[in-house]
Structure formats: structure tokens, C-alpha cells
Amino acid sequence: MAIQDVIRMGHSTLLKRAEEVSDPKNPEIQALLEDMYDTLEEQQGVGLAAPQINVSKRVVIFYVPSDRQETYEDADEEVPMTVLINPVIEPIGDEIEESFEACLSVPGMSGLVARWANIRYSGLDKDGKPFEREAKGFHARVVQHECDHLDGVLYPMRVEDIRDFGFSEELRDSFMEEDEA
Ligand code: NI
């Protein structure tokens, strides 16, 4: 039960496919979840994947705060802290949405990433019980971003035009100029 260091882009663990969890009730996994909650809270992020604290297991946690709804016209509801183990994602339909993402393993940066707008995801919860949910908008984006970490994919690898990747503060300035023009 401790805050762990978040490893950053360049660390080899972030490029590996993480291993399936065979027994979610194993105390080792429960301790991992505690570390992940503590680390996410300290970092004030919305999601964290186990590889980001250098544990190559297929475990992610995330939540959707209510204020995120403003970002999306067709936003879904606030989503409480969710544990997702051995996740599987399926797109629903073929709609794609582009939006800026950031990552605790790529601090200070943002990039424009295309994601499925609507998905169904399934996996095991913290007690090892199977569950399934549908998600759209920001919720769907967070799940896709976190699950990418389990396959060794960081969002900058998905940025189609490198000009859409940069320091968050600089990008924010250029958006403001565009808005004002
Ligand atoms: Ni990330």
C-alpha cells in the first residue's frame, strides 16, 4: 500500500505486452490495486495501467469525473473508480472520434488521437467477477487509452500527424489563438 513511481516513455516495460492475471483474488494483485489507487490519487490522473508502475500485468483502473462531461456534447455519466482485469474491448459501430490525450507516462505533453467513439468492454472486477459495460465519449477513450498500455502502446504512437503532438501548455496557447481568430 504505497505510492509508486510512474515510469515514463522510454522505459522498456511500457513497450511490452502485459501478462494475463490468472487469479485476481491473489493477495499480490490486491496489493497491486492498492498501489494503483494510491498512485493515481497522488498523480491526480483519471486512469492508470499496471505497467505504468512497472508491473507487467493486465490490470487497469480508471474513473470519469463529472466535470469531464462538459468536454463532450454527447457525454456519458460520471463513472466511479473501476478496476478492469484482463480486459477485452470491442468497438460498437464504426464511428471514430478525435480528441487530445495526455498520459502520466508522457508528462507535460498532449496529442490528438483517433479512437472508437462507442465500445463494449469486458473483463474481471477487483473480486474476479466478470462484467461488461458499454461506453462512449470520454469514458470510451479512457478505457482504450488504458488498455493500450497493456499491449505496449503509448498514445503518441497513435498520433497521425506529429504536428498534433506537443507540450500541453504550448498547444493550449495555439488553440486559444485559433478560437480568437
Ligand atoms: Ni497513459
Side-chain angles (χ1 to χ4, degrees), residues 142-161:
V142 170
V143 173
Q144 289 170 87
H145 176 115
E146 296 312 329
C147 292
D148 260 359
H149 279 297
L150 307 182
D151 292 326
V153 175
L154 295 165
Y155 83 80
M157 299 174 188
R158 293 196 181 274
V159 174
E160 278 169 28
D161 184 336

Side-chain angles (χ1 to χ4, degrees), residues 11 31 34 40 52 57 75 85-86 97 103 108-109 115 123 127 131 135-136 150:
H11 194 296
E34 292 300 326
L40 184 60
Q52 292 182 277
K57 301 260 187 217
I85 297 172
N86 300 341
E97 263 173 8
C103 179
M109 312 292 285
R115 299 281 187 190
D127 303 313
F131 76 106
K136 60 185 177 179
L150 307 182

Side-chain angles (χ1 to χ4, degrees), residues 3-179:
I3 295 165
Q4 300 293 329
D5 288 337
V6 173
I7 58 173
R8 291 174 299 170
M9 187 167 73
H11 194 296
S12 63
T13 300
L14 292 172
L15 299 174
K16 279 198 259 181
R17 187 185 188 277
E19 285 174 13
E20 256 80 22
V21 173
S22 51
D23 178 12
K25 285 186 172 168
N26 186 307
E28 200 182 289
I29 298 299
Q30 295 301 316
L32 167 65
L33 289 173
E34 292 300 326
D35 285 354
M36 289 174 72
Y37 296 139
D38 292 348
T39 305
L40 184 60
E41 190 182 7
E42 200 243 357
Q43 296 276 341
Q44 300 187 321
V46 292
L48 188 72
Q52 292 182 277
I53 57 167
N54 205 11
V55 176
S56 197
K57 301 260 187 217
R58 302 187 81 75
V59 179
V60 303
I61 64 171
F62 58 87
Y63 72 105
V64 178
S66 56
D67 60 357
R68 288 281 173 167
Q69 292 184 60
E70 290 162 21
T71 327
Y72 287 85
E73 275 174 32
D74 186 25
D76 42 13
E77 289 160 27
E78 188 174 345
V79 179
M81 182 67 79
T82 298
V83 172
L84 184 55
I85 297 172
N86 300 341
V88 176
I89 296 177
E90 278 178 84
I92 301 174
D94 53 13
E95 193 188 332
I96 300 284
E97 263 173 8
E98 283 196 322
S99 192
F100 277 85
E101 294 188 10
C103 179
L104 296 173
S105 295
V106 193
M109 312 292 285
S110 297
L112 191 64
V113 182
R115 299 281 187 190
W116 298 111
N118 299 287
I119 60 167
R120 179 178 300 112
Y121 63 91
S122 58
L124 305 175
D125 70 10
K126 64 178 172 28
D127 303 313
K129 266 178 38 190
F131 76 106
E132 186 180 286
R133 265 187 206 160
E134 288 187 6
K136 60 185 177 179
F138 185 75
H139 180 193
R141 178 169 296 275
V142 170
V143 173
Q144 289 170 87
H145 176 115
E146 296 312 329
C147 292
D148 260 359
H149 279 297
L150 307 182
D151 292 326
V153 175
L154 295 165
Y155 83 80
M157 299 174 188
R158 293 196 181 274
V159 174
E160 278 169 28
D161 184 336
I162 198 67
R163 287 170 290 196
D164 293 325
F165 176 62
F167 291 93
S168 306
E169 286 174 2
E170 305 289 354
L171 288 164
R172 215 169 284 144
D173 288 347
S174 59
F175 294 146
M176 279 166 70
E177 278 167 26
E178 270 175 24
D179 286 344

